[in-house]
Amino acid sequence: DIQMTQSPSSLSASVGDRVSITCQASQDISNNLNWYQQKVGKAPKLLIYHASKLETGVPSRFSGSGSGTDFTFTISSLQPEDFATYYCQQHDNPLITFGQGTRLEIK
Amino acid sequence: QVELQESGPGLVKPSGTLSLTCTVSRGSITSNNWWSWVRQSPGKGLEWIGEIYHTGTGSANYNPSLKSRVTISVDKSQNQFSLKVTSVTAADTAVYYCARARTMEGGAFDIWGQGTVVAVSS
């Protein structure tokens, strides 16, 4: 099974800050890596697919990069509505795994 | 826009079987997508349970940690897919989500149901 190591597990930041989250796969997954945002009591929302492609309707302050085993998710300028939990997810056919999540909190 | 809605009992007794259904509306379950179940235990992260393609049970994949207890099936006539988990324990208490994965785009889950809470308790 492919394991996903996401870090940090929590992060405190201020509105306007640039923040990054990393996800490392235990083996090469090419660009089969997606990023989600989840707010309390809500279903996850897809932000980035194929490692770097922005989902339709998602603000351009969100971005993703990487391939192979190392991936990065970045928010260029934090907005109040961005404080949530973020997850990476790999899809190396046929199995799927999520990272442990990063809780982004207001400093 | 396709919508997903989970339904099923909110309470299951230990050692019993958890059964949930996801209804696909404003779209067809026979589209070129995989249909998944994902769960989230209280205060924990997301756990993928398994997925199915509309061609049926021969096209299902499961999380190895749950495979012995899980069955996912599809009912094309009802535009639904279903989840069964046998021999449940308190560890199966969670919010259960159904989700659509885009086949051609890295299996990204682009549409999710709102989630349904299932508690395992006597």
Side-chain angles (χ1 to χ4, degrees):
Chain A
D1 300 0
I2 296 177
Q3 306 302 316
M4 304 302 295
T5 303
Q6 185 175 340
S7 61
S9 57
S10 65
L11 179 59
S12 294
S14 302
V15 173
D17 284 354
R18 178 184 180 90
V19 298
S20 292
I21 299 168
T22 63
C23 209
Q24 184 172 58
S26 58
Q27 63 190 70
D28 190 335
I29 58 170
S30 184
N31 65 346
N32 293 319
L33 192 286
N34 309 304
W35 291 95
Y36 301 85
Q37 176 193 69
Q38 187 180 32
K39 296 185 177 179
V40 174
K42 300 294 187 183
K45 175 187 176 182
L46 176 65
L47 300 179
I48 302 288
Y49 66 96
H50 263 177
S52 61
K53 297 184 179 181
L54 192 66
E55 177 70 352
T56 301
V58 174
S60 59
R61 63 180 181 273
F62 296 100
S63 65
S65 63
S67 67
T69 60
D70 295 299
F71 302 87
T72 301
F73 171 80
T74 299
I75 308 174
S76 60
S77 179
L78 275 172
Q79 299 302 302
E81 61 268 28
D82 299 338
F83 292 94
T85 300
Y86 293 84
Y87 294 92
C88 63
Q89 171 243 328
Q90 70 80 22
H91 191 185
D92 182 63
N93 286 325
L95 301 181
I96 293 167
T97 47
F98 289 90
Q100 303 93 319
T102 296
R103 184 175 178 182
L104 180 53
E105 300 173 321
I106 300 174
K107 184 182 289 184
Chain B
Q1 170 78 331
V2 173
E3 294 181 352
L4 304 179
Q5 178 67 58
E6 305 90 349
S7 59
L11 181 65
V12 182
K13 293 189 186 312
S15 77
T17 297
L18 180 160
S19 297
L20 297 174
T21 295
C22 183
T23 300
V24 180
S25 58
R26 303 186 181 188
S28 174
I29 201 166
T30 61
S31 60
N32 187 25
N33 297 287
W34 285 76
W35 306 93
S36 270
W37 289 96
V38 176
R39 71 182 184 180
Q40 187 168 36
S41 300
K44 302 295 185 183
L46 301 167
E47 181 181 31
W48 176 71
I49 300 170
E51 64 180 1
I52 194 163
Y53 197 68
H54 64 79
T55 48
T57 54
S59 299
N61 300 303
Y62 299 108
N63 185 327
S65 68
L66 298 168
K67 186 174 183 176
S68 64
R69 298 193 296 124
V70 171
T71 302
I72 297 176
S73 58
V74 65
D75 184 340
K76 288 185 281 188
S77 68
Q78 298 294 317
N79 223 29
Q80 296 175 331
F81 62 107
S82 298
L83 170 70
K84 289 189 187 300
V85 183
T86 60
S87 305
V88 297
T89 68
D92 294 305
T93 293
V95 177
Y96 285 76
Y97 296 99
C98 57
R100 184 183 82 168
R102 298 200 297 235
T103 304
M104 301 307 294
E105 292 175 338
F109 295 119
D110 64 338
I111 297 174
W112 295 70
Q114 64 186 25
T116 188
V117 176
V118 178
V120 177
S121 176
S122 55

